[in-house]
Amino acid sequence: MDLNTVLDVRDARSPVPWRPGDAWLGGGTYLFSEPQPRLRRLVDLGRMGWDPVRELPDGSLEIAATCTIAQLSRFGRGWDAPAAPLVEQCCRAFLASFKIWNMATVGGNLCNALPAGPMISLTAALDGVCLLRAQDGTLRRVKAADFVTGAGCKDLAEGELLRSVTLPARSLRGRTAFRQASLYGLGRSGALVIGSLDPLDGSLAVTITAATVRPFRLWFALPPGRSGLRRAIGSAVAERDWFDDIHGLPEWRRHMTLHLAEQVRHELSRDGVR
């Protein structure tokens, strides 16, 4: 779609004072998908030269905001970490054409803050940390699970840039389980639950996305029983937190989340080991 209100496109390598009507341009799959009447200038991140994915010396993984879904998928398929399968599972939850896969970015998916955003699911489940850079160069870090605060809402100030997301080494060494449900065979996720079992202390994290307006990451010192898990979800997720749109009613999303969470718990807990 043509953005006929945009008057200028600037290269982000040459900083300019931020002003009303500016927007960061990554892959542009959202920006060019619908009218953006408030925009007057795009600041293009396409030539920043950031490595899409970097394995850091401490074993953690840094994913640049400009990393495309296709680049992340290729990395995940050749990666040998225990959590590697989760990368491809979340990429595949991004139901889109090859053109979107090759343009859409991890940062864009996070910053759109849609409940069904699978990069939100991936980074929240693996206890990722977002690195944010303000216009004056100040850096701050926010947990990926806290970055999205509601449907379409995120912890991002005016002109602030999501630079990268870092996944800690400990999370990458854990076993994971992935479950997803949609109303349609190729539909947007209506409920997505990811479990991650800590390799050191046996703790379990269960992350709920798509069904809720924001991510919910529940941590258990030891894997709970079926009833304990249901109680924890009921206590953490209020009625107003279940998302409601054409892709699923709140009641259905809650039912599917409880069902998928139990499958995840059973797969990763001791009574699920065969």
Side-chain angles (χ1 to χ4, degrees):
M1 173 175 288
D2 292 336
L3 300 181
N4 56 17
T5 62
V6 173
L7 305 174
D8 192 14
V9 179
R10 293 296 184 93
D11 190 328
R13 294 176 300 175
S14 302
V16 294
W18 194 264
R19 64 192 188 196
D22 283 356
W24 298 110
L25 173 62
T29 54
Y30 165 70
L31 284 179
F32 289 93
S33 69
E34 60 183 46
Q36 308 288 345
R38 70 173 191 85
L39 296 187
R40 299 294 180 268
R41 182 172 65 176
L42 301 179
V43 184
D44 186 7
L45 299 168
R47 297 181 181 180
M48 295 301 287
W50 298 331
D51 292 333
V53 186
R54 288 198 308 150
E55 295 187 74
L56 302 181
D58 65 357
S60 59
L61 196 69
E62 182 188 68
I63 306 172
T66 50
C67 175
T68 66
I69 306 305
Q71 288 171 327
L72 184 61
S73 173
R74 285 194 295 270
F75 173 83
R77 291 197 300 270
W79 191 34
D80 62 358
L86 187 61
V87 173
E88 183 67 6
Q89 288 168 329
C90 288
C91 287
R92 291 293 167 186
F94 199 107
L95 297 171
S97 70
F98 75 93
K99 292 184 289 185
I100 298 297
W101 260 52
N102 282 278
M103 292 300 295
T105 62
V106 172
N109 196 243
L110 278 157
C111 289
N112 280 343
L114 298 178
M119 296 300 100
I120 299 170
S121 308
L122 172 68
T123 55
L126 293 180
D127 203 22
V129 177
C130 300
L131 176 62
L132 309 176
R133 189 182 72 197
Q135 284 293 299
D136 63 2
T138 303
L139 299 176
R140 67 183 180 102
R141 290 172 170 80
V142 177
K143 289 276 192 179
D146 299 326
F147 178 71
V148 175
T149 58
C153 302
K154 62 272 187 185
D155 182 7
L156 197 65
E158 184 70 19
E160 200 169 26
L161 171 68
L162 172 60
R163 167 61 182 86
S164 62
V165 185
T166 299
L167 308 179
R170 184 166 175 171
S171 295
L172 303 179
R173 294 196 296 269
R175 287 175 53 214
T176 62
F178 173 96
R179 296 292 189 280
Q180 176 199 22
S182 302
L183 277 178
Y184 316 102
L186 293 176
R188 181 179 293 180
S189 297
L192 199 157
V193 180
I194 296 172
S196 179
L197 191 67
D198 190 284
L200 298 181
D201 62 13
S203 61
L204 176 68
V206 176
T207 303
I208 299 167
T209 54
T212 51
V213 296
R214 63 177 179 84
F216 285 86
R217 190 174 192 270
L218 283 61
W219 182 85
F220 304 90
L222 291 172
R226 177 188 180 97
S227 59
L229 178 60
R230 290 178 67 92
R231 284 195 303 271
I233 294 173
S235 297
V237 187
E239 289 298 320
R240 65 179 180 276
D241 294 322
W242 296 105
F243 193 47
D244 183 6
D245 74 350
I246 193 172
H247 298 283
L249 294 173
E251 294 80 4
W252 176 79
R253 291 177 188 268
R254 181 180 183 277
H255 171 79
M256 291 307 302
T257 295
L258 292 172
H259 176 66
L260 299 179
E262 169 55 21
Q263 291 185 350
V264 162
R265 182 202 70 82
H266 187 263
E267 181 176 331
L268 293 179
S269 62
R270 291 186 180 88
D271 63 346
V273 177
R274 298 184 183 277

